[in-house]
Amino acid sequence: MEIHPLLLVLIIFSISLSFVTLSTIRMILMVKGYQYSAAGLSILEVIINILGLGLVLDNLANVQNLLAYALGFAAGIIVGSKIEDKLSLGYVTANVISQDSSGRLAIQLRDKGYGVTDWETNGYEGKRSSLQILMPKKQEPELYRVVKELDPHAFIVAYDAKTIYGGFWIRALKKRTITVSD
């Protein structure tokens, strides 16, 4: 069966886009500890990849097919990353350093529902307040907005929290809500 060259390019692009999107999501699932979901997704990923590579290799004389596969690959990385942002799997720990060492920022964040551990630290220019906040990843942008509103000069570093064990967080995880201010 003969496929129109333009249709073949679109099919190859779509297959490559799908493959890499699934591959990106599978990798994220693995990193976040969802091994069984990642394994299930990998079955579909391999089937799609073999179909795409088969079409490219069967039509290797046409450079547009190779280019379509490469462009689909690049687009798949972007789409997969956007999907990961929307899924917001897992938890984030944010370290906030405030020039205000009074503890006021920690109190304000606790009043908004955040679990905050704080302590006094020393920076280059004197006393600081360090805060550590654990939250679901989907709440990370809201925390940044709230901190910037309360302390525009705060320094924030965030990283994924892979393992959480003990503390009030585990007990309060399901019933916890964060107050969104208008």
Side-chain angles (χ1 to χ4, degrees), residues 124-143:
Y124 181 73
E125 296 176 349
K127 299 235 182 272
R128 301 281 187 261
S129 181
S130 289
L131 296 80
Q132 189 171 57
I133 305 152
L134 178 67
M135 76 206 103
K137 187 174 176 97
K138 65 184 174 200
Q139 294 173 349
E140 185 178 4
E142 178 63 13
L143 173 73

Side-chain angles (χ1 to χ4, degrees), residues 2-174:
E2 191 67 26
I3 299 175
H4 188 276
L6 184 58
L7 180 60
L8 184 59
V9 165
L10 289 174
I11 291 170
I12 290 171
F13 176 85
S14 299
I15 287 174
S16 181
L17 172 87
S18 301
F19 159 67
V20 178
T21 298
L22 290 174
S23 179
T24 303
I25 293 169
R26 177 189 47 82
M27 186 63 67
I28 291 162
L29 289 171
M30 284 292 297
V31 168
K32 300 293 184 178
Y34 298 94
Q35 291 87 355
Y36 295 110
S37 297
L41 194 59
S42 71
I43 295 168
L44 183 59
E45 178 188 343
V46 168
I47 291 169
I48 291 172
N49 190 30
I50 290 171
L51 288 173
L53 284 175
L55 286 173
V56 171
L57 294 174
D58 286 346
N59 298 284
L60 202 52
N62 299 323
V63 74
Q64 68 267 20
N65 295 334
L66 184 59
L67 188 57
Y69 190 84
L71 288 172
F73 199 98
I77 290 172
I78 294 168
V79 170
S81 296
K82 297 285 185 190
I83 289 172
E84 192 272 337
D85 286 344
K86 295 294 181 197
L87 289 175
S88 295
L89 297 173
Y91 298 90
V92 173
T93 299
N95 289 329
V96 178
I97 300 173
S98 174
Q99 293 176 3
D100 178 8
S101 61
S102 70
R104 189 170 29 107
L105 181 59
I107 292 167
Q108 290 172 315
L109 289 172
R110 286 184 190 112
D111 287 346
K112 292 187 177 291
Y114 291 97
V116 179
T117 300
D118 68 312
W119 60 96
E120 188 179 288
T121 57
N122 294 299
Y124 181 73
E125 296 176 349
K127 299 235 182 272
R128 301 281 187 261
S129 181
S130 289
L131 296 80
Q132 189 171 57
I133 305 152
L134 178 67
M135 76 206 103
K137 187 174 176 97
K138 65 184 174 200
Q139 294 173 349
E140 185 178 4
E142 178 63 13
L143 173 73
Y144 293 161
R145 190 191 67 71
V146 169
V147 169
K148 286 178 187 176
E149 178 184 294
L150 297 173
D151 184 353
H153 302 291
F155 175 73
I156 305 170
V157 177
Y159 49 91
D160 287 343
K162 185 169 184 250
T163 305
I164 302 170
Y165 178 80
F168 98 98
W169 234 92
I170 300 303
R171 295 186 302 271
L173 196 56
K174 295 204 185 220

